[in-house]
Amino acid sequence: MRTRTVLTAMGIAMAGMLATQFSHAGTLENVKKRGELRCGVSDGLAGFSAPDAKGRWQGIDTEMCRAVATAVFGNPEKVTFVPLPNSERFTALQSGEVDMLSRNTTWSASRDNSMGLSFPGGVLFYDGQGFLVHKDAGVTSPKELDGATVCTQSGSTSEMNMADFFASHNLHYQAVTFESPAQLLAAFEGSRCDSISIDSSQLAALRSQLKDPNSGVILPEMISKEPLAPMVRRGDEAWGKVVSWTLYAMLNAEEMGITSKNVDALTAAPKSPDMARLLGKDGDFGKQLGLSNDWAHNIVKNVGNYGEIFDRTVGEHSPLKLARGKNALWNAGGFQYAPPVR
């Protein structure tokens, strides 16, 4: 097994200072020369990134990685997934151990501005922090958790959100943090936690893994905004554009009705100028990104449009069965919106 380099707390600041210098080497060219993408993902979160029974990584985050690999190589399998706990995800990207993060990471000001890292553009999943409680407790609102023991994941935005929420409502609570989702699940089932408070999508994943999923209830109230987005090193704009436009390509494809099943036919006979540009039949938009002009066609053909990916990983045809909600396209009542290819 490959040994990973873990930076100490003292090394984090140095890694951040060196990140920009490192990234100027040209991540896209480095990835091409290496022959594979190295993508940082969570160390096991159902629906987002977790190995299945055959050891194949599955989830919406891992599909984003495969889409970027397809944009670069035309092959979704040219990616190595590097599972990272919360405490190591940013240092792994800063040090160059991974080329990008697609790891249920919230886009926030401090993360975007202070670590030598950047969210290049586009939100993969709009989320919000919620609460999972024991059904037999009869709790219907987080405002009823005065004096409760609330568990969350260390190194996440959830700790600050919880502190803000309970302070603003003059409520008392005891916070207990754990490194991994598996530890959270065990603590909740062992009644060490009155509640778990993390992103609602993660709560749905944890609830599905309870011995009795009906014993847990996710409260409807959310206490934060959690836009989960891919992350890269700052200072390498060309690589950031490859990552962001990979997501935009999948969103535009869904909006145009282009799917993995009909993309070949629509590439041969595009129904509109916008479609012709997206699928590489008109213009040099792929070459402008340092890719082949059929980059978007390859993504949709091999990985799918955004709706297809959402549906099979976290949506209707997944164990989580999450509604599209905020993650629906802008013209279907959601927030998802991509710049046009023109």
Side-chain angles (χ1 to χ4, degrees):
M1 179 179 294
R2 180 166 58 94
T3 301
R4 296 199 7 251
T5 300
V6 181
L7 299 183
T8 64
M10 184 178 294
I12 293 177
M14 182 176 292
M17 288 166 34
L18 294 175
T20 298
Q21 179 180 348
F22 179 92
S23 64
H24 275 304
T27 306
L28 177 58
E29 292 308 311
N30 289 340
V31 170
K32 286 180 177 179
K33 289 177 182 177
R34 188 190 310 127
E36 67 170 12
L37 171 72
R38 293 195 298 232
C39 198
V41 295
S42 73
D43 49 354
L45 180 62
F48 284 80
S49 54
D52 62 17
K54 297 181 179 179
R56 179 175 173 79
W57 285 86
Q58 304 287 0
I60 193 168
D61 280 339
T62 56
E63 292 303 89
M64 179 68 202
C65 299
R66 289 190 175 101
V68 173
T70 305
V72 177
F73 298 108
N75 185 343
E77 303 307 317
K78 287 187 174 292
V79 55
T80 292
F81 296 105
V82 182
L84 299 165
N86 273 356
S87 60
E88 297 175 22
R89 54 182 162 170
F90 300 127
T91 54
L93 182 57
Q94 289 168 334
S95 68
E97 181 183 353
V98 296
D99 304 305
M100 61 177 286
L101 289 181
S102 184
R103 195 205 170 282
N104 58 290
T105 298
T106 298
W107 187 346
S108 70
S110 61
R111 291 172 174 177
D112 205 18
N113 300 321
S114 65
M115 298 189 296
L117 304 177
S118 176
F119 295 89
V123 173
L124 182 62
F125 189 93
Y126 287 96
D127 210 344
Q129 186 169 335
F131 293 83
L132 175 69
V133 298
H134 298 279
K135 183 177 181 179
D136 57 12
V139 174
T140 59
S141 167
K143 297 174 184 177
E144 299 172 17
L145 292 173
D146 192 22
T149 298
V150 184
C151 296
T152 192
Q153 196 165 5
S154 59
S156 70
T157 56
S158 301
E159 294 178 79
M160 181 180 293
N161 293 336
M162 282 169 47
D164 291 346
F165 172 79
F166 283 100
S168 66
H169 290 87
N170 296 313
L171 301 173
H172 300 283
Y173 76 108
Q174 179 182 356
V176 180
T177 61
F178 294 92
E179 179 74 14
S180 70
Q183 292 171 331
L184 279 173
L185 186 68
F188 184 77
E189 290 201 303
S191 296
R192 186 174 176 185
C193 313
D194 297 311
S195 175
I196 296 176
S197 185
I198 51 177
D199 292 352
S200 294
S201 61
Q202 297 181 50
L203 292 178
L206 290 181
R207 182 180 181 275
S208 72
Q209 295 172 45
L210 291 172
K211 294 175 183 176
D212 176 11
N214 292 323
S215 67
V217 174
I218 299 174
L219 302 180
E221 188 173 342
M222 291 188 185
I223 64 169
S224 71
K225 297 182 294 184
E226 305 295 331
L228 309 181
M231 202 175 196
V232 298
R233 286 179 292 275
R234 188 182 300 172
D236 192 347
E237 186 179 9
W239 177 243
K241 288 189 179 297
V242 169
V243 173
S244 60
W245 276 97
T246 293
L247 175 56
Y248 295 151
M250 293 188 289
L251 288 168
N252 277 321
E254 182 184 8
E255 184 176 340
M256 294 180 195
I258 307 169
T259 71
S260 57
K261 295 180 180 179
N262 66 19
V263 64
D264 287 338
L266 291 176
T267 299
K271 293 185 176 181
S272 70
D274 280 346
M275 187 178 292
R277 289 189 288 266
L278 177 66
L279 296 177
K281 299 294 286 185
D282 183 28
D284 290 319
F285 296 99
K287 291 181 180 179
Q288 291 171 8
L289 289 168
L291 308 172
S292 63
N293 269 350
D294 59 355
W295 64 286
H297 169 276
N298 292 337
I299 291 170
V300 179
K301 175 71 174 179
N302 290 282
V303 185
N305 67 32
Y306 180 83
E308 289 178 289
I309 292 169
F310 186 100
D311 186 52
R312 69 173 179 260
T313 57
V314 297
E316 181 180 352
H317 291 105
S318 77
L320 300 189
K321 300 191 181 303
L322 298 179
R324 282 291 291 269
K326 301 178 185 67
N327 292 290
L329 295 179
W330 67 280
N331 55 6
F335 293 167
Q336 288 292 9
Y337 187 102
V341 180
R342 63 170 179 261

